Amino acid sequence: MSSFKRKEEEPLSVFLVGKGYGSQDSAKLISTRILSDYRDWVVFENIVEASTVQASPFVLKYMHDFRYAFKEDDFVYFLFSRTRGVADSRNFTFVSRLCESDSHYFSYTELQLSCGPNNAYNKVRAAHVASPGEELAGHMTATGRYGTVRPSDKVLFAVFKTDEDQGSSALCMYPLKAINQRLVQIIGACYTNEGKMDGKKAVSPPYSHTAHAFCVVLNGENLVTSYKCGADFLTSPLASTQEFALTADAVYERKGKGVLTAVAVSVENEHTVAFLGTSSGEVCKVHLSSTPKVYHRGPGDGSGHAVNKNLFFDTSRAHLYIATDKRISKVPVQACQQKTDCQSCMAQEDPYCGWCVLEGSCTRKAECGRAEEGNGWLWSPKQECVKIESFEPPNLSCRKTQKVKIRVPALPSIRDSDRLHCKFGSFLCDAWMDGSQITCNLPDQVQIPPTPDKQDFVAVLVKIVVNDTVEVAAEDFKFYNCSAAMRKVENAPCLSCVTSDWGCQWNTQDHTCSDSDNSVGGAHIIKHEQGMRCPRFENQDPNIIPVGFKTPIQFEGVNLDVYKGRDFKMGTELMKHTEEPVTPEGGSLFSFQGYEFSYNKAQTVDVLFHVKDVGSDKKIDSTLNVTLYNCSVGREDCSLCKNADPQYQCVWCARTTSCVYSELCQGNDRQDCPNPKITDILPRYGPLKGGISVTIRGSNLGIKKEDIKSITVSGVPCTHQQDRYSVSTSVVCEIGPVNPLEPKDGVVEVEVEGGKRGTSIVHFTYRDPYPMVVEPERGPKAGGTVITIRGKDLHTATKGDLNITVGGVACAVETFGSEITCKTGEYKSVKVPSDPQTVTVKYGKNATMEVPRAFQFWENPKVESHYPHRQLHMKAIMRVSVSAEDWSGVPSPAEFHQEFLSKNDTVLQFLSPSVNKTYENQSFRTFIFLDNAQSELKPFNYHPDPIFNELTKNVITETSIISVTGRGFAKAMTAKEALAFVGDVPCQVTTLQDDRLFLDPPSTQPKSRSKRQKRDTSSDPLDLTIQFGKGEWVVGSVRYERKYEAPLPIIIPAVIFPMLLIIAVSVYCYRRKSQQAEREYEKVKHQLENLEESVRDRCKKEFTDLMIEMEDHTSDLSEGRIPFLDYKTYTDRVFFLPSKDGANDVMITGKLDIPEARRAIVTQALNQFSNLLNSKTFLINFIRTLEGRPDFNARAKVYFASLLTVALHGKLEYYTDIMRTLLLELMEQYVHSKNPKLMLRRSETVVERMLCNWMSICLYQFLKDSAGEPLYRLFKAIKHQVEKGPVDAVVKKAKYTLNDTGLLGDDVEYCVLTLQVLVHGEGPDVTPVKVLNCDTISQVKEKIIEQVYRNLSYSQRPKVESVTLEWRPGSTGQILSDLDLTSQKEGRWKRMNTLAHYNVRDNATLVLSKLLHPPHSYDQNQDNHEERNALLEDDKVFHLVRPADELDEIKSKRGSMKDKSMTKAITEIYLTRLLSVKGTLQQFVDNFFRSVLCSGAVVPPAVKYFFDFLDEQALKHDNVDDETIHIWKTNSLPLRFWVNILKNPHFIFDVHVTEVVDASLSVIAQTFMDACTKTEHKLSRDSPSNKLLYAKEISTYKKMVDDYYKGIRQMVSVSDQDMNTHLAEVSRSHTDKLNTQVALHQLYQYASKYYDGIITSLDEDPAAQSKQLTLRLQQIAAALENKVTDL
């Protein structure tokens, strides 16, 4: 912002702009723009046209990037980076200056700024001009680099980054005084010294490369001062050379975690704080001092977006405005008040903050009322709080009370008006201050807390309190207890007393420990630190005693004069209830008979003995301590026993076969050790070349390692590894190699000292492992992939012997067994994907096995995008790790992990980890780990959990919705993810906004109060629970409106009297003929009103249904595997299931009725017939002959073509050639004699069906890999949607369907039940199954079977007719069936039984049992088998609705018929359901269409090959246009294949397609067909509903088809060779699974039927004659038909 003045005119307000980017700015570097309309100028117009700085050549050449502009002392400055305009693209930073009054920019001069060593940080990103403050100014002056810097001077603070490393940036400082001085030097050098300083070139023209002298000015000594703002005759513009750039050290450097992008500087109490924004969305606070320090990091606006270059303070400088691309946030510059104690306030090290001592709060200095008083405000970075330095006395007996003086050095001044107190726990007393010392009264003895156990003092917190509430300082004061001090040393009360820290003394007479008292004396008093005077027992002998043997102990007594004549007794904790007398031995010696100890928990244990005075039962100090040892523990065999320390005198006793103390084994029971015993060897298998270690375990394997004399394994010497020897129990040796021709199996033998040998029972086997297969075959170069190695005998040697490498990269072994897994290391080579690497498995030192070309290292996976970008703290949606940073500069140890939920090659899905609320104000970095490859999710933000307001309306009526208010709802949650419950019943979240959500409550009152409280609470309020992810909130209680029910005595008169009155009026009206017309009019009017009301109610209900059902059902689909059919079943169903025999067709069953005696002859003849079919001449004649016969109808052609496909499957290249030949003939016919567009429309010829089969074969793999999944999901979604509502089992109509003819046109009342199903004979587990109470029993069985056996495909599940369903409401069970004696009858109609008929309730338990002899049948489209039997009865059967055209005779009266027709529901009302179902399924339909019609993905080669064939042929015919080609392609692929698969999912999946599901699939298939046509369908009100349903989407689908065809045309062609290779692979993989022989036999039936015609055709064909095809056919006929011929 500046001003511009022309001659005598008033100055104008203008902007000086650096590098504008408007349409007229291409040549302007600096421009002056007016801020208001003035004369001919309009606002923001450039008003300075002529300028030496505005020159077009540099605009793009120098790549200016202006970052900051400011005005100071009549100068305007611009800060920017640019290149030097030559080949070097490196950026340099410049600050340019010109006079504010220089309207022609004559004073424009550029100075290069250098930041960091060698200008490491070369590109400026943002800047700020501010005063440095006293502390920073002093530091800058002290460095000597900046000259003298005063606190009031201006300093340019700028952040820079590097060109080369995007992760490095820094902050540099330039005093404005230094910038101006250097600019004056540059200008002076140009005007006075030809642009040189110190003999070096210092000035250059910034935007020209003139060769002549640049700075040539005559007599220029005074020009610098005379013309500060330049002149038109002076050289301009000027720029410094690189050598004379103004340099500065990097004050703060940032490596990684986002570069610095913004800076703002403020001074607080003469301390300077820099606010630095980053590209990762953080704002760092840096205290700029002699040692700059980041004291706080925090998120900018919380979005994770980069902070823009402009940071602004508000007018009070108390807040900072932070701008990103998305928003502007206002944040406080400090958060002092959040800290509530001095320590946390100091821990911030925030220059803004300090502890206001006498107010007890963390504040800015200006906010502390007594900050100017000494120590009244303690500055946070100094890290000093007011502390209690010492107490006088330092501690006190708990039995005494007195004053205590407390020294507090940093205590602030206390005024007379201040109230000063000391607080000891709960005891409060007045305090007096004397300098830095405070005097307080200590509490009385009764107010001191009791001494804790195992302590001899109690610490009481002493607080210095000012004005009753402000705690100034606190420290623990110790009250000691000498009575407790005597208990600290076990068995030595005197010594414990006099050695305590409290100066206690011991009284030997009364055996007490008391406070030091100089007034008490005598020999019986032992003072502090006189422990040697304590009476005591010591110096026991022996020091070790055995278990189980009573050993006497002698010891010495010291200072026992006071106990002269007394008796003593001894005991120990190990023998708690037994104390034995002590016997005097004369003098100071005593003895004790000892105990026969029993102890087996360890080999040795220390036993402490106490000694008591028998008379007083008081302990006398005892240091008697012996070691108790047990020879048996840990010495289970002879060798271990003999290895024991000799001082224990352990021997091996033969009688007890155990290691015991020598005195416990008498006579000849002692013996030498037996032979070694080997119990196990590990491993039991080793490689033939040896080189692995074998561990031999057992007993008596020697006492020392030198005892092992020899080891053999399977007869092969094994080298003893002495360093791994364990006494007696374990020997390790390294096996040698064996000759592969010698025996490789044998025992292990060990010889020890003395010639004793031990032989193993188990054998060791030499064998070589053979690794064969490695899975997976590839992984990221970062490593971390766990590979599995499979093969033969891999469980050889041990895990420790294995060393695995993948192409030289180490692979750490994780599991070892019949399979081996290991985790790959990092692949260091540059080439990725790598060449296939050899996996090397090394067993021990010598055996190396390899799996060549087994594994490839690929590029590390990259996360391209993710959704959503934000989550709630409680929301929970390879490995995901969320790390919190506490913004103190050190990462917090808080990490939250979550495994992936599902994955494929391109998509990972995971639940975001729940985050602890204690980290709510911290920022999180989120990473995905895929093996060792790590990717950070940016942005991915956590938001605080939502807050809910109190419900304003808590009464639910029939038409009400629930509105919940609050905030933070929509930040990280969608309506689809949110869940709500009224009581225990879920209700739909219809609308979700950030501050409001709407719910549709259940239509009927739930039975339980909440999800957790499952009890009948019909009269209680219901909990309204909202669930977001893992977080649940009970937001209030609701209740249902109670309907008033009139009592029966009121109802009866209210009904009867009006009825009598109506009858009377009717009789009266009948007699009044004159009122006939009016009566009829009223009657019709009444009926019309009823009809109108009925329509209104139905529309309202259906609209509600529509809104409820418009939800995403993706989550309802099973995540289990897709039940694809195998190739044979797939081809059988596609080729032969539509035949007249269906599933019983011989091609599906594979059964031929051929006598055993003729099978060999028939097989040989069929093979000859196969060879004959492989003759193109024969096959073409064969097909032409058949197609020429009138009785060879369309069905026969289809069947014949399918047989031919199976017969020739082994040579699909030949099959394709035949198909091409026949297609060319067919094309000629249609192009010249018929309408070309009709070609391939129907299967009127053999070749058209051959094409259909060819497509089916070639697209099978594409179905499995790509299109199958969305098709299966579509089928499951339709099935789910259909079965959610009622389905009439008789008329096959449903409430939810896409087909208007299959729409259930009546309003059927129903409710959802959850049944607990127990399967008889399959364990006690029950399966919850959702059904409808209006379902027939067969429908219930179907749903139960589908849920119980959901992990099995349809063909493996039991069928409906093979199971029974039993309900056990009480002690007896009831078999449920569709029709039985309880079925309801309405005239001649019988209603099928439903769950409602049997009164089965929610959560009822049903038992499903399998019949031992179920009836066998296969009918693809028969839904309910029990119904079929019922229909044989005389009664007519119906389920939900009766057929409209068959009304009962009792209702056929004229009046009744008229009423029926008047009140009959209008079926079209229910068409809204079509839209509901369509909207629900739209995503699945779109996904399927995209998977089929996406040329950007993998297109099957057969499609490209055949489409190219059609394009080539079309070019040869003039009358084939683009529309015709489009129709040909449609007829050959979408119509011939995709529509067939879409309408018949059971062709590719092992599923059952019901009639109601089939009806909806037909609508989608018709839509698919319409999308593939070029014809524009004109829609009207009379168009079929099915056409109207997808009218909006058809245009989109048509474009998808066009783009698909265009995309395929642009793809690289598939050559004949490539296609043949692909076909050959299909033949090789699948031919042996097909019924080829059966197909040949069936084909021959056609040859036999048309034998004469075929023979005639062959005889007339010269090519056939030359190949003797007639003769070959006759020979085959003779063999197959068992004819005797003259051949």
Side-chain angles (χ1 to χ4, degrees), residues 1576-1613:
E1576 291 296 333
H1577 298 280
K1578 294 183 179 179
L1579 299 175
S1580 66
R1581 294 177 59 185
D1582 299 327
S1583 298
S1585 300
N1586 298 345
K1587 296 275 188 183
L1588 294 171
L1589 200 57
Y1590 284 96
K1592 180 181 177 183
E1593 288 80 9
I1594 280 292
S1595 59
T1596 303
Y1597 295 154
K1598 282 181 178 288
K1599 186 176 184 305
M1600 287 173 65
V1601 174
D1602 289 340
D1603 292 344
Y1604 179 62
Y1605 289 170
K1606 290 175 184 175
I1608 292 176
R1609 180 173 289 180
Q1610 294 168 2
M1611 287 171 58
V1612 178
S1613 298

Side-chain angles (χ1 to χ4, degrees), residues 633-816:
V633 176
R635 302 181 183 94
E636 288 78 11
D637 63 34
C638 178
S639 296
L640 288 172
C641 186
K642 291 195 172 186
N643 190 53
D645 192 322
Q647 69 172 335
Y648 295 147
Q649 301 179 46
C650 295
V651 297
W652 183 258
C653 192
R655 177 169 51 85
T656 59
T657 63
S658 63
C659 186
V660 297
Y661 177 57
S662 58
E663 295 298 326
L664 296 175
C665 186
Q666 302 296 327
N668 296 325
D669 287 344
R670 307 179 192 179
Q671 67 174 28
D672 292 334
C673 292
N675 290 334
K677 181 179 180 181
I678 299 173
T679 57
D680 193 15
I681 55 175
L682 185 73
R684 298 187 182 182
Y685 304 96
L688 300 180
K689 293 183 179 180
I692 69 165
S693 296
V694 174
T695 300
I696 304 164
R697 295 197 176 102
S699 58
N700 293 312
L701 295 173
I703 299 174
K704 54 186 181 297
K705 59 186 177 183
E706 291 79 11
D707 288 349
I708 307 299
K709 298 303 180 182
S710 68
I711 308 171
T712 59
V713 175
S714 297
V716 179
C718 192
T719 305
H720 182 209
Q721 296 180 334
Q722 295 188 357
D723 58 324
R724 300 175 66 182
Y725 173 76
S726 295
V727 174
S728 181
T729 59
S730 175
V731 179
V732 180
C733 65
E734 184 179 303
I735 63 172
V738 298
N739 188 330
L741 302 178
E742 294 180 358
K744 305 169 189 174
D745 182 88
V747 298
V748 175
E749 188 174 80
V750 178
E751 181 183 352
V752 299
E753 183 73 26
K756 297 177 181 179
R757 295 178 180 271
T759 304
S760 67
I761 299 174
V762 296
H763 282 211
F764 182 88
T765 303
Y766 276 93
R767 69 184 187 188
D768 272 345
Y770 295 98
M772 300 174 182
V773 179
V774 175
E775 292 180 351
E777 297 177 349
R778 66 184 189 184
K781 66 174 293 186
T785 304
V786 177
I787 64 173
T788 301
I789 303 172
R790 297 186 176 91
K792 180 182 177 184
D793 295 338
L794 298 184
H795 196 194
T796 299
T798 64
K799 181 178 179 180
D801 294 314
L802 279 188
N803 184 4
I804 304 176
T805 58
V806 180
V809 177
C811 194
V813 179
E814 296 209 330
T815 61
F816 175 71

Side-chain angles (χ1 to χ4, degrees), residues 330-343:
K330 182 181 179 182
V331 297
V333 295
Q334 49 76 31
C336 306
Q337 68 282 358
Q338 292 183 3
K339 306 302 179 182
T340 56
D341 60 84
C342 184
Q343 284 70 28

Side-chain angles (χ1 to χ4, degrees), residues 867-868 871 875-877 898 901 909-913 972-973 977 1029:
Y867 177 82
Q871 297 293 335
K875 172 72 188 299
I877 299 247
Q898 186 74 33
L901 192 64
Q909 188 178 20
F910 55 87
L911 298 172
S912 61
M973 189 66 57
E977 295 174 302

Side-chain angles (χ1 to χ4, degrees), residues 76 168 192 415 605 662 977 1047 1138-1139 1178 1182 1298 1369 1516 1593:
V76 176
S168 298
T192 62
R415 299 173 183 172
V605 62
S662 58
E977 295 174 302
S1139 66
F1178 173 80
F1182 189 13
L1298 288 174
K1516 299 177 182 179
E1593 288 80 9

Side-chain angles (χ1 to χ4, degrees), residues 1272-1316:
Y1272 182 71
R1273 287 179 174 274
L1274 173 61
F1275 164 72
K1276 290 291 287 183
I1278 293 175
K1279 189 172 187 298
H1280 171 87
Q1281 190 67 5
V1282 165
E1283 293 179 352
K1284 257 178 48 178
V1287 177
D1288 194 297
V1290 177
V1291 298
K1292 310 300 183 189
K1293 292 187 177 184
K1295 177 178 181 179
Y1296 298 116
T1297 179
L1298 288 174
N1299 197 318
D1300 58 343
T1301 61
L1303 187 64
L1304 193 60
D1306 277 65
D1307 192 10
V1308 178
E1309 295 293 334
Y1310 68 97
C1311 66
V1312 179
L1313 304 179
T1314 300
L1315 305 180
Q1316 305 299 328

